[in-house]
Structure formats: structure tokens, C-alpha cells
Amino acid sequence: SEDRILNHKRLQGLETWLKATNTKLTQVNGQRKYGGPPDVWDGPTPAAHSEVFISQIPREVYEDVLIPLFSSVGPLWEFRLMMNFSGQNRGFAYAKYSSSEVAAHAIHLLHGHMVEPGFFLSVQCSMEKRHLCIGNLPAATRKENLLQVQWHYGVKKVSLKPGPGIDEVSAIVAFTSHYTASMAKKILVEVFKRQFALTLSVKWQSSESSSNYEPLPPHKTAKSLASPWKMLPRLLLNAPRTSVSPPCLAQAPSTPPGFCRAVGETAAPPCSPSLEQLVAASPTMLLQRLCEATRLGQPLYEMYYSHVGRDRFLYFTYTVRVPGITVPFRGLVMVLPGHTATSTLEKAQQAVALQVLQRVQCNQSTPTLMSVVKSII
């Protein structure tokens, strides 16, 4: 039942925090939103690439932990936590800042952050897709016609191109935000069918201009990237062998004392890399070093490409076998596509290693991960 699924102590903590801070959350289409902008915002609307994508969130962690954590980097213009019908979060969220520089700083500071014992956040650049391709339009369609239909959805620019049919055109529509584009995508097919008796296709379109934040080259979709993997359903990846110790990472800027109290953290010693920093640097490297230090043998990764989700995530099932451990580790990870198939596989392997590290940490029959890491470094 729902009572068994939800942690009511966590929910009570969220309610207490909302009242104490006078924070307002709005439930909209499977997500719970703060800001967009908040009442206290006095700056301009953020430009593109000011948003980060947060994954690997424990299902019972809510905004009372996440918003103070990500606000510690800079003021939040918006925070969106994806929710399911049970009241748990879906494991991922989006945080938008005032600029791309602040977003990059958030990635630097919080990627690999241990939000709970054994749970490390993944923080990456958000794709922020803002372009839709509307197909099967009549050849006589003009930009003015489309703007009359879509002006209240936050349309920024409309361009037309011929085809794919002889008597058809397609429209590339740029929106002011990913949110307005998402809302338009959900309802445009029905709107055109009801008002004009037209059956359209509405798909995501890659940004018209390339940038470092685009996870795929222009006009290449997750489906086209994934197609070569269908020919190779089983991917056997060996963890890299290395005798080089993990680098001593630079210490992150100090966190305000009030924030430390909010999330229950303690500051790391100035010259000692924290577990979060080591995990952020390379989970596969850390898992490799952990297995070597405990004489368990080299981990062997078997990864199977599963499918592309409707949200463009690529899903992989995996089995990780460690010679010194009888039972293999099995599970499922999801990652955003990289620039190439190789970089995407590397991201998937890092996500797999991170899950294995979390499971080792949570296993009471094994030595604590931190004690082993300390012996390594």
C-alpha cells in the first residue's frame, strides 16, 4: 500500500521545512516545482545552459534537502523534482541558476556529493531541449499561421523547411524554455487535430546551433546513436588497469555553517580528498582500487544495452563479477547520450561502478568503503 511505500517521517520533515522557510512548491504534470522564478528573484531570466540535471537521487530525499544543497552554490531560479503517483521522487531533478557559469560551478562542486550514506549524486549539464520539429504540415503553411496557434506557449522563433512529402512542409519551432516546449509537445497534436483536422508529427529537434552543452551532434538523435548497439547486444568491458594513485583533488570552497547543519555534513580536512571527491573523479577507478586493496580481483563488466526511454535516457542492464565475491552484482542504470557511442558507454560504466560502490557501502558484512579508501590513499 502507499503507507508502506512512503516514509512519513521524511514527509513530515519536508512539511516542517516548507512552513519554516515559507517555501512554495507547485505540482505540475508529474513534477514538483519551486520558483520559475521564486518571489525573491530580482535578476534577469537565465540564458541557455544555466540548468543542471541531477540523477541518482534516493527516492525518499525531497526538497528540504535538495534545495538548500543546490542553493549553496548560488540562487536558484527554478528547481524541479520529478515525482510519481505514490509520492516518491523518480530519482532525478533539474536545478536552474542565473547563468551557465554558476551551473558549471554546481557541477564542479556537487557531482559525486554523498547526499546520504552510500548514495552519491550525479550532476551534469542539462540538455534543455527547446526546439520542436512539427511535420506533415500543408505546403501552404506560413509562419504567421503557426504563431497564431502557438503564441501562448512561449514561442521564440519559427522557421519552415520543405518536406518530407512533396506537398508538405516541416516547422522548426524554438521555445523560450524547455518547460514551454515540453508543454507544447504534449498538446499540439491534439490542438491541430481538433481545430484544423490535421494529423501532425511533433518531435524533439536538436538545437540549430552546436555547443559544448549538446550531448549529441546536430540532427543526430538518441535512436540513431543507439542503433549500432542493437547489433552488439552484449558489451564486455574490462575495468582499466592502472598503478597510478587517484590524484589529490583540490578542496572545494567552504560551505556556510548554516548549510552544513541543514544537510548534516562535516567539513573535510583541508588536504585530504573526501569520498565524494574520489567518487566524482572516477567511480570505475575507485572500484578498481578497492578490489585491488582487498585482494578480490579485477571487476569484470558485462553491459547490455536495453532501450531508449521516452525522456531520451539510454538504459543498460549490467552484471559485474568480482572474482573474490561469490554473488555477482546486477542492476539497471540510465544515462544521457554522450557525443559518441564510446563516450556514452564510458558514462554507463561509470554509473554501473557507482551503483556497485553504493551496494558495497550499504552491505554490513563488508568493511566500510571509507576505511578501505583511507588505506588506499
Side-chain angles (χ1 to χ4, degrees):
S1 69
E2 183 174 316
D3 288 339
R4 290 198 298 267
I5 294 174
L6 296 178
N7 185 324
H8 291 281
K9 185 177 179 180
R10 291 289 184 89
L11 292 176
Q12 184 60 47
L14 171 64
E15 291 297 327
T16 301
W17 177 79
L18 290 173
K19 292 179 181 178
T21 59
N22 196 28
T23 301
K24 299 177 182 178
L25 301 178
T26 305
Q27 187 85 26
V28 182
N29 295 313
Q31 59 184 316
R32 203 156 57 197
K33 188 174 74 166
Y34 160 77
D39 295 337
V40 295
W41 189 267
D42 59 358
T45 300
H49 315 311
S50 301
E51 186 175 76
V52 298
F53 169 73
I54 310 149
S55 60
Q56 312 294 340
I57 302 174
R59 294 303 178 95
E60 294 178 347
V61 168
Y62 299 107
E63 290 90 345
D64 57 322
V65 172
L66 297 172
I67 289 179
L69 175 61
F70 283 86
S71 294
S72 69
V73 179
L76 287 171
W77 189 84
E78 182 181 74
F79 188 91
R80 296 181 289 126
L81 181 62
M82 303 302 113
M83 305 295 295
N84 60 27
F85 291 111
S86 72
Q88 288 183 316
N89 77 64
R90 293 168 57 194
F92 64 100
Y94 297 86
K96 180 170 288 191
Y97 293 97
S98 59
S99 67
S100 59
E101 290 77 14
V102 181
H105 193 47
I107 294 171
H108 174 72
L109 292 180
L110 298 178
H111 179 64
H113 175 83
M114 186 164 61
V115 67
E116 284 193 342
F119 290 91
F120 304 90
L121 296 178
S122 172
V123 185
Q124 306 175 44
C125 296
S126 172
M127 289 188 294
E128 288 190 276
K129 298 178 73 66
R130 302 184 182 195
H131 295 77
L132 294 179
C133 178
I134 304 176
N136 304 328
L137 290 167
T141 302
R142 298 292 178 264
K143 295 180 184 180
E144 294 75 15
N145 304 136
L146 295 173
L147 290 172
Q148 289 175 1
V149 176
Q150 300 174 331
W151 64 269
H152 56 290
Y153 298 143
V155 170
K156 187 176 181 180
K157 179 183 177 182
V158 176
S159 58
L160 296 174
K161 65 178 183 178
I166 297 176
D167 297 324
E168 296 175 350
V169 295
S170 296
I172 307 301
V173 185
F175 291 82
T176 54
S177 69
H178 174 74
Y179 175 77
T180 55
S182 298
M183 294 300 99
K185 186 175 184 291
K186 290 181 179 181
I187 64 176
L188 279 179
V189 171
E190 183 60 31
V191 167
F192 274 85
K193 188 174 183 179
R194 183 176 65 251
Q195 294 186 6
F196 307 104
L198 292 175
T199 301
L200 304 179
S201 65
V202 181
K203 301 178 181 179
W204 287 114
Q205 173 75 13
S206 296
S207 176
E208 293 177 335
S209 59
S210 60
S211 74
N212 294 332
Y213 291 86
E214 283 295 319
L216 292 174
H219 310 303
K220 183 178 287 187
T221 64
K223 182 176 180 181
S224 64
L225 175 64
S227 57
W229 300 337
K230 295 182 179 179
M231 301 170 61
L232 298 172
R234 184 181 185 188
L235 301 171
L236 192 60
L237 303 175
N238 291 321
R241 291 185 178 273
T242 178
S243 58
V244 180
S245 299
C248 184
L249 303 177
Q251 185 186 17
S254 59
T255 307
F259 168 65
C260 291
R261 290 194 295 271
V263 298
E265 290 188 344
T266 55
C271 297
S272 176
S274 67
L275 178 59
E276 297 97 311
Q277 291 172 320
L278 290 173
V279 170
S282 175
T284 54
M285 175 72 74
L286 185 56
L287 180 59
Q288 174 78 7
R289 298 292 304 280
L290 175 63
C291 291
E292 290 176 353
T294 53
R295 301 182 183 277
L296 293 174
Q298 178 178 326
L300 184 66
Y301 296 78
E302 298 178 15
M303 294 168 48
Y304 296 78
Y305 166 69
S306 175
H307 64 283
V308 180
R310 295 172 64 181
D311 50 8
R312 282 198 68 194
F313 280 93
L314 304 180
Y315 288 76
F316 294 83
T317 59
Y318 68 85
T319 300
V320 177
R321 304 181 190 278
V322 180
I325 300 178
T326 306
V327 180
F329 298 92
R330 293 188 172 91
L332 176 74
V333 295
M334 62 179 188
V335 297
L336 290 170
H339 289 279
T340 65
T342 300
S343 64
T344 303
L345 291 176
E346 291 174 353
K347 292 173 66 175
Q349 188 180 9
Q350 296 283 5
V352 169
L354 182 59
Q355 278 198 11
V356 173
L357 287 168
Q358 291 170 351
R359 291 165 68 176
V360 170
Q361 168 72 359
C362 293
N363 189 339
Q364 298 299 323
S365 64
T366 61
T368 64
L369 182 59
M370 181 59 82
S371 65
V372 177
V373 170
K374 286 182 178 179
S375 68
I376 294 172
I377 62 176

